[in-house]
Amino acid sequence: MPRRHIRVTGAPEAPLRAALTALRTELDVPETYPPQAAAEAERPPALPSYDATDIPLFTIDPPTSTDLDQAMHLSRHGTGYRVRYAIADVAAFVVPGSALDAETHGRVMTLYFPDEKVPLHPAALSEGAASLLPDRTRPAALWTIDLDAEGRTLDVDVRRALVRSRAKLDYAGVQKQIDEKTAEEPLALLEVIGRLREELEVERGGISLNVPEQEIVEQDGTYELTYRAPLPADGWNAQISLLTGMAAADLMLAHGTGVLRTLPAAPDGAVGRLRRTAHALHIDWPHHVSYAALVRSLDPGIPQHAAFLQECTTLLRGAGYTVFRDGALPDITTHSAVAAPYAHCTAPLRRLADRYASEICLAAVAGDPVPDWVLAAFEALPREMAEGGRRAGAVERACVDIVEAALLKDRVGEVFDGCVVDVEERQPTVGVVQLVSPAVIGRIEGGPERLPLGERLRVRLTQADPGLGPSGKVRFAPA
């Protein structure tokens, strides 16, 4: 599921990057791995006997990515389609109860900062031996999902296999090949299957957020914020991952043991705040139009729409991990944004829970019992993932604060057009304001009366410092 993407360029000693480096120290983000864990990451993996290296898989990732979790091959199958999706087999490298296993349970997930990432696994594993790099034979969990002519799932299989990717592709290159009709059939089918799955998503009431990437660029000591709108190929690629996550959830529910990614319906208050944000950004949202319909109507290439899509990620904050076993199904089995049961299983190099989900699915298809080491982790896994999610959320919020403060650092005292999107119940003169341009959200304080919730307001910037602590926050007051 999407998160906010913020990218910062510039020299490491530049003030903004220096502030991000200091933030990692402030948040006690680990810089290195314990020696034993690092040594274990170099250990040769357990290799499966099934050889699927004849399948010409390919990966689609950002150009600079080297931690490649997934590789695919798409083909026609009867009147429908066959999706082969290889997922890095992290369990082939990480021994349960080892120092490396303990370290991953402490880290939980890769943390993304605007200037760098702090990985879940050592680079020797996540960007080397386990990564599905081109022309390298790797152990993987190989999914085979057969679809009918409308893109609906007919049959699912997953097994351990040796695989070998043939090409490392990027989104822009994929889009270019598809648009120019030069893509060979396995790649050209990404559009066909992706569009079919998007239509089914609309049918079941799901919603995918095409969250743009924010980039902040330093020029002559000042900063400029731009957005990179996702390409259609981004969305088609995401549909293959969603398809696999939904197939995994169905397998686990049928097996009676699993770990699901669940999300209740968004509370009215959260949707109400988004309506106020839309109002602030001059986005028309009639009351008879649903949230899903509005999101589908937006163009992430328009800055106001891009900013709104960034804020839509707040509706995903109630998502969690739900474990169940021995046929005792949980009360909530669905993810409201997916509008179906769903599991995280396609990014094990970057997310701890995916390693466990893969093992359960492999056992379900083979008719084997779920490994004891998987069941032993069940009690703690949701709590660990929640803590990892909170840490990632704290990183994201702090990074947004620093980036927005850098963007406005030379404009203290200026007056902006904004809209009050939130007001504290106990302190009605304190709240949150969304600016129209630049699309910054900040705390607003002061004024003799209650802030006008949902209404436009002229505000003055009183504070913007990309340093750490309270000074790193953007602050406004009624003008």
Side-chain angles (χ1 to χ4, degrees):
M1 300 305 290
R3 60 179 177 84
R4 293 185 69 150
H5 300 267
I6 309 173
R7 189 161 67 95
V8 167
T9 57
E13 65 275 9
L16 179 51
R17 291 199 64 187
L20 292 168
T21 299
L23 174 64
R24 286 187 281 274
T25 301
E26 178 77 9
L27 297 178
D28 197 25
V29 173
E31 295 183 5
T32 59
Y33 294 81
Q36 183 62 32
E40 289 172 357
E42 306 270 2
R43 187 163 46 198
L47 297 178
S49 58
Y50 178 56
D51 189 335
T53 55
D54 60 320
I55 301 172
L57 300 165
F58 54 87
T59 60
I60 305 176
D61 290 277
T64 58
S65 293
T66 51
D67 52 343
L68 311 183
D69 288 285
Q70 316 107 8
M72 75 176 76
H73 181 268
L74 308 175
S75 60
R76 297 187 183 275
H77 185 68
T79 59
Y81 309 93
R82 172 164 286 179
V83 174
R84 290 189 176 99
Y85 206 45
I87 307 300
D89 187 4
V90 175
F93 296 85
V94 180
V95 177
S98 66
L100 179 56
D101 185 32
E103 182 67 12
T104 61
H105 277 264
R107 293 184 178 229
V108 181
M109 61 183 66
T110 295
L111 296 178
Y112 292 91
F113 290 81
D115 58 336
E116 66 177 56
K117 66 186 177 188
V118 179
L120 172 60
H121 301 92
L125 190 157
S126 62
E127 299 181 29
S131 178
L132 303 183
L133 297 164
D135 302 319
R136 302 286 190 274
T137 299
R138 295 289 189 256
L142 178 61
W143 291 79
T144 301
I145 305 175
D146 289 338
L147 308 174
D148 68 12
E150 295 180 331
R152 301 180 193 276
T153 301
L154 294 174
D155 191 47
V156 175
D157 179 76
V158 59
R159 62 184 66 189
R160 282 197 155 88
L162 287 175
V163 301
R164 191 176 180 87
S165 173
R166 300 298 197 275
K168 180 180 182 293
L169 308 179
D170 62 77
Y171 294 106
V174 166
Q175 191 68 56
K176 185 173 187 290
Q177 287 189 55
I178 290 175
D179 289 346
E180 295 179 352
K181 311 297 183 185
T182 59
E184 296 183 2
E185 183 172 85
L187 181 58
L189 285 175
L190 180 67
E191 178 182 14
V192 177
I193 296 172
R195 289 190 183 279
L196 289 172
R197 295 300 302 180
E198 287 173 341
E199 290 172 6
L200 292 173
E201 181 177 74
V202 173
E203 179 182 291
R204 68 175 185 268
I207 179 66
S208 290
L209 288 177
N210 294 317
V211 181
E213 180 181 76
Q214 292 175 291
E215 182 173 7
I216 184 164
V217 181
E218 183 181 10
Q219 293 182 338
D220 300 324
T222 62
Y223 294 93
E224 178 182 349
L225 179 66
T226 62
Y227 294 95
R228 185 193 75 82
L231 298 167
D234 292 62
W236 303 330
N237 185 58
Q239 286 296 330
I240 303 299
S241 180
L242 277 171
L243 167 67
T244 309
M246 292 167 65
D250 288 342
L251 280 178
M252 290 190 283
L253 287 167
H255 194 57
T257 299
V259 51
L260 302 176
R261 182 65 165 166
T262 55
L263 176 66
D268 290 341
V271 177
R273 174 169 169 155
L274 271 185
R275 281 192 174 276
R276 294 189 288 273
T277 300
H279 178 64
L281 294 170
H282 301 285
I283 294 173
D284 185 29
W285 186 354
H287 279 280
H288 69 275
V289 174
S290 70
Y291 164 70
L294 175 75
V295 168
R296 293 191 191 100
S297 73
L298 299 178
D299 180 356
I302 298 173
Q304 289 92 337
H305 292 191
F308 182 76
L309 287 166
Q310 295 281 346
E311 286 308 304
C312 286
T313 61
T314 60
L315 292 192
L316 303 175
R317 288 178 183 166
Y321 291 86
T322 301
V323 297
F324 59 97
R325 57 186 298 180
D326 303 325
L329 301 186
D331 293 335
I332 298 178
T333 61
T334 60
H335 190 292
S336 62
V338 180
Y342 173 67
H344 275 162
C345 68
T346 63
L349 293 176
R350 292 169 278 174
R351 209 166 39 209
L352 176 65
D354 297 47
R355 172 161 44 116
Y356 291 88
S358 281
E359 292 304 309
I360 299 166
C361 292
L362 288 162
V365 168
D368 295 334
V370 175
D372 289 340
W373 64 267
V374 173
L375 297 176
F378 262 34
E379 181 178 352
L381 190 60
R383 183 177 66 254
E384 291 172 332
M385 295 305 299
E387 178 56 34
R390 281 191 292 272
R391 187 184 308 122
V395 165
E396 180 181 290
R397 287 189 295 274
C399 289
V400 169
D401 285 341
I402 289 174
V403 166
E404 291 185 340
L407 188 66
L408 293 172
K409 69 182 180 67
D410 296 322
R411 303 184 68 178
V412 173
E414 288 189 29
V415 174
F416 299 84
D417 290 320
C419 179
V420 179
V421 297
D422 207 358
V423 173
E424 292 187 10
E425 290 186 11
R426 296 184 178 180
Q427 289 183 284
T429 59
V430 176
V432 178
V433 65
Q434 165 85 56
L435 301 191
V436 176
S437 180
V440 165
I441 286 183
R443 186 177 176 88
I444 180 170
E445 302 173 340
E449 301 176 352
R450 182 183 182 91
L451 289 169
L453 182 62
E455 296 182 18
R456 294 207 169 95
L457 185 70
R458 297 275 286 172
V459 297
R460 188 181 306 279
L461 178 64
T462 60
Q463 183 175 291
D465 185 343
L468 287 174
S471 64
K473 309 290 185 182
V474 173
R475 295 284 187 268
F476 296 93

